[in-house]
Structure formats: structure tokens, C-alpha cells
Amino acid sequence: MKNTLKFILPAIALWLTGYVSAAPVYCGFYHGSQTNAGLYTFTNLQHPFATIKKRIGSWPFPPANWQGLGFDGLNYYTFGRTAAYGGAGLHKYDGVAALPLISGTCTFADWHGIDFCNGVYYGLYHGTAAAQGLYLFADPADPFGTGIRLFAPQSFPSNIWRDVAFDGQRYLFVRKDAGGEPDGIYQYNPANNKFTLVSGTETYADWEGFGVFDNAYTPQPGKKVYVLLFGGQSNAEGWGYHSYLTNNIHPLRNPRTDVDLFYQIAGNGYLPENTLLPLQSGTGKTATKPAGYYPALLTPPVNRFGPELNFAATV
């Protein structure tokens, strides 16, 4: 059994939920010569074709038309690049026939990776409207308005990293470039900003898109939940500046992969509200302090944190 920590702010709630451990399931669009083209699930990163569980549906998902892939254990998420099925943008596939457009007028033309985990999306952006890199967002129709950029040291350029997958604990990336390190699946460690090849000699040359689902990090119904509450006024709202953590290379400066966060602060937070996120700075109020308190940090929006960061790390 595994435990996960979850918070609700400003009255912070911590609950420990039981999880059932099982092997993760991976998925990808296969377009090689060993079998029919299409969407397949498998269980071994180093031997995807040898461990294929089944083909999902019958659509071949031509790589020029469908790029990027996410998987939440039930549905699949992919970028449609043509006018088919409602237009260009992010589509949700039920594994049978339904493949509706879910991103409205947002075409995701400047995105090259996608995943969906615990109620939020993860995407790789390479355009010019914002800083390039990995984003977490809540609404596929408004990724920038409901999102934040993760792991600023990395821009995850599209000529190297082709897709992202997050299973609730691990950040996995597909590498396909003309030189440098071997192609394959890499796990990213935000703590030291390092990538580790986890797919062995398998290069994924015949695959397009990559997703993962691990029910070891998905809440199971009917489990006993233990809740811890603590509250306060300004000391629970959060007045710490995230830039201080970054400037001082603090161990709590990056999102945690082992703790989940859910908060509501009446529209005043920096992070998307009412959704499950990795624990990180951004739940405090974005209002600035009066001049003379923190003169170098008066430009909104302000990314602030409260006691939840250290409390989670300690508990």
C-alpha cells in the first residue's frame, strides 16, 4: 500500500488515502511494419512490442494527423492536426469511436506533447506567446489562462523532446533527435534537473506519442481516509515569496511528485483552483505588500506559498 498527502487551503486538510499497487500501463501510436498501425497499450518500456496488451479501437491514427498522446486509465488525449473530428486541437478518445474536440478554438499548433493525470493536463509548448517549456493547466480551451510553467531550468525543445507523460509520480519524456544522447524514453528528475534513459536500447522509432497510467497513484473508492486540519488567518493564507526559494536553491522550490494539492482561495491564488495539482508554491494571495516591505517584489502576479510546503515535507 502507498500513501499520498493531499491539502485543501486556506483551511489546510491533509488526508492519507490507500492505493492499490499495480504495474503501470503505457500507450503509443505504432506505425511500424510488425502489425497494423494504431493505438496500442503495453507494460514494459524496454520491450513495448513484446508486451503489447491490445490494440485500442481500429483507427490507424496516421502520425501526420495525430500527434502527442495522454492516458488517464480510461480515455486517451491527442492533438488532431487536421479538420477531421471537429477541427485541429486537443481531442479525447474513448477507445472505441468517439473522438471529440475538447479544446474549442485552441488549436495547440505550438504544442508538441500532452498528458492528463489527476484532473489536470500537462503539455510541452514551443511557441512564442509565452516561455517555452512544460505547462500544467486545468482547461484545454485556455491552457495559458489556467496554467503555470513547471521546471523553469528546462525548455524541453521540440527538436529533442517529442512528448511528455506523467503518472502521478514520474515525468517521462520521449527523446528523438538527430544527435546527442540515444533516442528513447527518459525520466526527468526536477530535484537535480537530470534525465535518465529508462527504455534501454528501445528507441521508439516506430512509435508516435506516448502516455502512461499507473493506478498505484489513483485513489481507490471505499478506502478509509484520515484528515488533519489546521487553520489560521494570514499565517494560513500564505505570504512567502516563491522567488526566495528559487534564489536560495531551496529544496521546496520545485513541485513535489509525492504530494497532491487541492485548494480554493476565492480567485486570489496563482495556481489553478479546485483541481488536483502537485504540491508547489502558488496557493498564497497574489496581492503585493505595501512599499517598504519587499521593494523588489511589488509587480503582480506574485507567486506565494504558506505553511503547506514545509508541513507536507515533514509529515
Side-chain angles (χ1 to χ4, degrees):
M1 303 291 287
K2 291 182 177 288
N3 288 328
T4 186
L5 310 184
K6 300 183 180 180
F7 290 88
I8 301 177
L9 296 176
I12 301 173
L14 165 70
W15 66 89
L16 309 179
T17 307
Y19 284 83
V20 177
S21 180
V25 176
Y26 307 97
C27 63
F29 299 130
Y30 181 74
H31 53 81
S33 59
Q34 298 189 58
T35 190
N36 294 328
L39 174 59
Y40 289 86
T41 60
F42 54 95
T43 57
N44 191 320
L45 284 177
Q46 298 188 14
H47 305 285
F49 199 81
T51 59
I52 279 178
K53 297 184 67 177
K54 62 179 179 178
R55 186 186 186 199
I56 307 301
S58 59
W59 183 247
F61 287 98
N65 297 341
W66 303 98
Q67 298 171 352
L69 183 62
F71 181 41
D72 65 0
L74 181 63
N75 294 293
Y76 304 83
Y77 303 82
T78 181
F79 296 135
R81 300 306 192 191
T82 70
Y85 295 94
L90 184 60
H91 292 253
K92 179 179 179 180
Y93 180 48
D94 66 357
V96 182
L99 192 55
L101 178 72
I102 62 173
S103 60
T105 58
C106 181
T107 64
F108 284 90
D110 293 327
W111 297 74
H112 59 282
I114 189 66
D115 200 15
F116 184 80
C117 181
N118 285 333
V120 292
Y121 300 86
Y122 296 80
L124 294 175
Y125 178 72
H126 62 264
T128 58
Q132 298 183 0
L134 175 64
Y135 283 81
L136 175 155
F137 55 94
D139 184 356
D142 187 15
F144 291 124
T146 63
I148 59 169
R149 185 184 175 208
L150 302 177
F151 315 134
Q154 282 291 341
S155 62
F156 301 102
S158 59
N159 63 331
I160 298 176
W161 306 105
R162 304 302 179 88
D163 203 359
V164 60
F166 180 60
D167 64 3
Q169 183 184 44
R170 298 174 300 161
Y171 291 91
L172 302 173
F173 294 85
V174 182
R175 180 171 188 138
K176 291 185 181 181
D177 64 338
E181 300 297 325
D183 290 351
I185 308 299
Y186 284 74
Q187 182 172 338
Y188 177 63
N189 184 349
N192 59 15
N193 193 30
K194 300 293 184 182
F195 293 91
T196 302
L197 179 66
V198 292
S199 59
T201 58
E202 173 58 53
T203 65
Y204 286 82
D206 293 330
W207 296 82
E208 177 74 30
F210 176 71
V212 61
F213 170 73
D214 192 340
N215 69 6
Y217 304 102
T218 300
Q220 302 297 307
K223 300 296 181 180
K224 184 179 292 185
V225 175
Y226 300 90
V227 179
L228 303 176
L229 292 172
F230 66 88
Q233 294 178 342
S234 61
N235 60 342
E237 288 180 334
W239 290 99
Y241 283 97
H242 178 251
S243 56
Y244 286 167
L245 302 180
T246 303
N247 293 342
N248 294 317
I249 316 179
H250 196 280
L252 299 178
R253 69 189 184 280
N254 289 323
R256 292 185 64 109
T257 59
D258 58 341
V259 183
D260 291 331
L261 167 74
F262 184 95
Y263 87 108
Q264 183 180 38
I265 193 170
N268 293 320
Y270 181 82
L271 296 173
E273 299 184 24
N274 298 310
T275 190
L276 203 60
L277 309 168
L279 180 74
Q280 60 197 278
S281 178
T283 60
K285 287 192 172 182
T286 57
T288 57
K289 283 279 193 177
Y293 282 84
Y294 305 103
L297 297 168
L298 294 178
T299 304
V302 175
N303 182 336
R304 283 204 178 98
F305 64 91
E308 70 279 358
L309 293 187
N310 194 57
F311 181 67
T314 303
V315 173

